[in-house]
PDB file of all heavy atoms in Angstrom:
ATOM      1  N   LEU A 103     150.064  85.476 162.972  1.00  0.00           N
ATOM      2  CA  LEU A 103     149.357  85.555 164.175  1.00  0.00           C
ATOM      3  C   LEU A 103     148.393  86.810 164.249  1.00  0.00           C
ATOM      4  O   LEU A 103     149.108  87.934 164.124  1.00  0.00           O
ATOM      5  CB  LEU A 103     150.322  85.470 165.412  1.00  0.00           C
ATOM      6  CG  LEU A 103     151.320  84.242 165.431  1.00  0.00           C
ATOM      7  CD1 LEU A 103     152.232  84.526 166.591  1.00  0.00           C
ATOM      8  CD2 LEU A 103     150.477  82.996 165.602  1.00  0.00           C
ATOM      9  N   ASP A 104     147.235  86.675 164.455  1.00  0.00           N
ATOM     10  CA  ASP A 104     146.305  87.826 164.552  1.00  0.00           C
ATOM     11  C   ASP A 104     146.315  88.340 166.055  1.00  0.00           C
ATOM     12  O   ASP A 104     145.716  87.687 166.886  1.00  0.00           O
ATOM     13  CB  ASP A 104     145.052  87.359 164.092  1.00  0.00           C
ATOM     14  CG  ASP A 104     143.936  88.595 164.246  1.00  0.00           C
ATOM     15  OD1 ASP A 104     144.408  89.709 164.497  1.00  0.00           O
ATOM     16  OD2 ASP A 104     142.734  88.263 164.278  1.00  0.00           O
ATOM     17  N   PHE A 105     146.944  89.480 166.219  1.00  0.00           N
ATOM     18  CA  PHE A 105     146.888  89.980 167.661  1.00  0.00           C
ATOM     19  C   PHE A 105     146.081  91.290 167.629  1.00  0.00           C
ATOM     20  O   PHE A 105     146.296  92.152 168.481  1.00  0.00           O
ATOM     21  CB  PHE A 105     148.321  90.374 168.072  1.00  0.00           C
ATOM     22  CG  PHE A 105     149.078  89.141 168.852  1.00  0.00           C
ATOM     23  CD1 PHE A 105     149.041  87.989 168.276  1.00  0.00           C
ATOM     24  CD2 PHE A 105     149.683  89.425 169.978  1.00  0.00           C
ATOM     25  CE1 PHE A 105     149.612  86.919 169.044  1.00  0.00           C
ATOM     26  CE2 PHE A 105     150.309  88.455 170.704  1.00  0.00           C
ATOM     27  CZ  PHE A 105     150.351  87.098 170.140  1.00  0.00           C
ATOM     28  N   SER A 106     144.983  91.271 166.821  1.00  0.00           N
ATOM     29  CA  SER A 106     144.119  92.440 166.923  1.00  0.00           C
ATOM     30  C   SER A 106     143.293  92.354 168.187  1.00  0.00           C
ATOM     31  O   SER A 106     143.383  91.462 168.955  1.00  0.00           O
ATOM     32  CB  SER A 106     143.235  92.366 165.696  1.00  0.00           C
ATOM     33  OG  SER A 106     142.377  91.183 165.647  1.00  0.00           O
ATOM     34  N   GLU A 107     142.429  93.379 168.347  1.00  0.00           N
ATOM     35  CA  GLU A 107     141.599  93.437 169.563  1.00  0.00           C
ATOM     36  C   GLU A 107     140.641  92.315 169.747  1.00  0.00           C
ATOM     37  O   GLU A 107     140.327  91.799 170.712  1.00  0.00           O
ATOM     38  CB  GLU A 107     140.845  94.738 169.531  1.00  0.00           C
ATOM     39  CG  GLU A 107     141.737  95.982 169.791  1.00  0.00           C
ATOM     40  CD  GLU A 107     140.844  97.190 169.756  1.00  0.00           C
ATOM     41  OE1 GLU A 107     139.601  97.251 169.880  1.00  0.00           O
ATOM     42  OE2 GLU A 107     141.413  98.324 169.544  1.00  0.00           O
ATOM     43  N   GLY A 108     140.325  91.720 168.429  1.00  0.00           N
ATOM     44  CA  GLY A 108     139.321  90.580 168.470  1.00  0.00           C
ATOM     45  C   GLY A 108     140.063  89.358 169.075  1.00  0.00           C
ATOM     46  O   GLY A 108     139.316  88.508 169.657  1.00  0.00           O
ATOM     47  N   SER A 109     141.317  89.202 169.098  1.00  0.00           N
ATOM     48  CA  SER A 109     141.968  88.067 169.622  1.00  0.00           C
ATOM     49  C   SER A 109     141.931  88.086 171.183  1.00  0.00           C
ATOM     50  O   SER A 109     142.245  87.096 171.861  1.00  0.00           O
ATOM     51  CB  SER A 109     143.454  87.878 169.175  1.00  0.00           C
ATOM     52  OG  SER A 109     144.288  89.024 169.819  1.00  0.00           O
ATOM     53  N   GLN A 110     141.583  89.256 171.762  1.00  0.00           N
ATOM     54  CA  GLN A 110     141.549  89.340 173.251  1.00  0.00           C
ATOM     55  C   GLN A 110     140.221  88.929 173.747  1.00  0.00           C
ATOM     56  O   GLN A 110     139.937  88.851 174.974  1.00  0.00           O
ATOM     57  CB  GLN A 110     141.721  90.676 173.672  1.00  0.00           C
ATOM     58  CG  GLN A 110     143.226  91.194 173.294  1.00  0.00           C
ATOM     59  CD  GLN A 110     144.347  90.289 173.783  1.00  0.00           C
ATOM     60  OE1 GLN A 110     144.248  89.776 174.929  1.00  0.00           O
ATOM     61  NE2 GLN A 110     145.342  90.116 173.033  1.00  0.00           N
ATOM     62  N   GLU A 111     139.252  88.612 172.855  1.00  0.00           N
ATOM     63  CA  GLU A 111     137.867  88.198 173.343  1.00  0.00           C
ATOM     64  C   GLU A 111     137.929  86.962 174.148  1.00  0.00           C
ATOM     65  O   GLU A 111     138.803  86.169 173.957  1.00  0.00           O
ATOM     66  CB  GLU A 111     136.962  87.896 172.105  1.00  0.00           C
ATOM     67  CG  GLU A 111     136.676  89.119 171.200  1.00  0.00           C
ATOM     68  CD  GLU A 111     135.675  89.987 171.854  1.00  0.00           C
ATOM     69  OE1 GLU A 111     134.759  89.605 172.644  1.00  0.00           O
ATOM     70  OE2 GLU A 111     135.835  91.216 171.589  1.00  0.00           O
ATOM     71  N   LYS A 112     136.973  86.908 175.167  1.00  0.00           N
ATOM     72  CA  LYS A 112     137.064  85.756 176.032  1.00  0.00           C
ATOM     73  C   LYS A 112     135.879  84.762 175.714  1.00  0.00           C
ATOM     74  O   LYS A 112     135.378  84.187 176.690  1.00  0.00           O
ATOM     75  CB  LYS A 112     137.024  86.262 177.419  1.00  0.00           C
ATOM     76  CG  LYS A 112     138.174  87.105 177.732  1.00  0.00           C
ATOM     77  CD  LYS A 112     138.607  86.888 179.125  1.00  0.00           C
ATOM     78  CE  LYS A 112     139.774  87.862 179.524  1.00  0.00           C
ATOM     79  NZ  LYS A 112     141.007  87.260 179.671  1.00  0.00           N
ATOM     80  N   ASP A 113     135.499  84.607 174.472  1.00  0.00           N
ATOM     81  CA  ASP A 113     134.462  83.685 174.158  1.00  0.00           C
ATOM     82  C   ASP A 113     134.887  82.211 174.191  1.00  0.00           C
ATOM     83  O   ASP A 113     134.083  81.280 174.287  1.00  0.00           O
ATOM     84  CB  ASP A 113     133.859  83.944 172.767  1.00  0.00           C
ATOM     85  CG  ASP A 113     134.919  84.018 171.687  1.00  0.00           C
ATOM     86  OD1 ASP A 113     136.093  84.070 172.027  1.00  0.00           O
ATOM     87  OD2 ASP A 113     134.382  83.898 170.520  1.00  0.00           O
ATOM     88  N   VAL A 114     136.232  82.030 174.237  1.00  0.00           N
ATOM     89  CA  VAL A 114     136.752  80.683 174.663  1.00  0.00           C
ATOM     90  C   VAL A 114     137.636  80.857 175.770  1.00  0.00           C
ATOM     91  O   VAL A 114     138.153  81.991 176.050  1.00  0.00           O
ATOM     92  CB  VAL A 114     137.569  80.064 173.468  1.00  0.00           C
ATOM     93  CG1 VAL A 114     136.591  79.755 172.301  1.00  0.00           C
ATOM     94  CG2 VAL A 114     138.666  80.902 172.944  1.00  0.00           C
TER      95      VAL A 114
END
Side-chain angles (χ1 to χ4, degrees):
L103 304 171
D104 176 18
F105 269 49
S106 64
E107 291 179 19
S109 69
Q110 301 302 325
E111 295 286 327
K112 300 215 183 252
D113 56 346
V114 292

